[in-house]
Amino acid sequence: MELVHPDDRERVRRTIDEALDGGKPYDVEHRVVRPDGEVRVVHRRAEVVRDEGGEALRTIGTVHDITERKEAEEQLRAAETRYRTVVEEQTELVCRFLPDLTVTFANEAYCRYFGLTPEEV
């Protein structure tokens, strides 16, 4: 727990305690602070191994560093936001449609030009 980011410790501890009490596996993403101060994001998944009397002996599981995946997801969200902002704020008419001419997207300028709501388009 010393490596778990201070802001995540309570949530991680609660998740592990619930697994210990309830006997169910746990699955949690959280940040860790490496000894050099670098913050990484990990996905921890484990289950509790118990003795015949039901007492918890240990947990067994995996910890995967998912920092790059989380960064890529954030970059994708940011790119989608930029794209959406550019398209929505365009004064040009922008629409996207399928080969059968079903409109799947129309920006505000397009809707305004034709006097329709996005649902009507």
Side-chain angles (χ1 to χ4, degrees):
M1 289 301 284
E2 289 178 21
L3 295 178
V4 175
H5 191 283
D7 293 344
D8 296 346
R9 282 186 189 146
E10 182 57 36
R11 181 175 52 84
V12 171
R13 188 178 313 280
R14 192 171 48 251
T15 299
I16 292 171
D17 287 346
E18 288 171 3
L20 289 169
D21 292 342
K24 295 182 180 177
Y26 66 86
D27 190 320
V28 63
E29 290 182 6
H30 63 87
R31 294 167 292 173
V32 295
V33 181
R34 294 172 30 138
D36 64 2
E38 182 182 10
V39 176
R40 305 292 290 179
V41 181
V42 297
H43 178 215
R44 180 188 291 200
R45 184 179 298 176
E47 60 184 72
V48 179
V49 177
R50 299 179 181 280
D51 65 15
E52 298 81 26
E55 289 296 314
L57 298 173
R58 63 185 173 276
T59 60
I60 187 166
T62 59
V63 178
H64 294 277
D65 186 332
I66 59 169
T67 305
E68 284 78 18
R69 185 187 90 200
K70 293 302 243 183
E71 289 170 354
E73 289 171 353
E74 181 55 37
Q75 289 172 359
L76 179 59
R77 274 191 294 279
E80 288 172 344
T81 299
R82 282 191 308 274
Y83 166 78
R84 187 166 314 283
T85 300
V86 166
V87 170
E88 286 296 329
E89 293 180 1
Q90 277 285 338
T91 57
E92 301 294 323
L93 309 182
V94 178
C95 71
R96 179 181 60 225
F97 53 90
L98 300 173
D100 68 358
L101 303 182
T102 300
V103 176
T104 60
F105 171 81
N107 72 347
E108 187 177 324
Y110 187 96
C111 294
R112 198 172 40 251
Y113 182 81
F114 290 104
L116 301 170
T117 66
E119 294 77 24
E120 292 170 326
V121 172

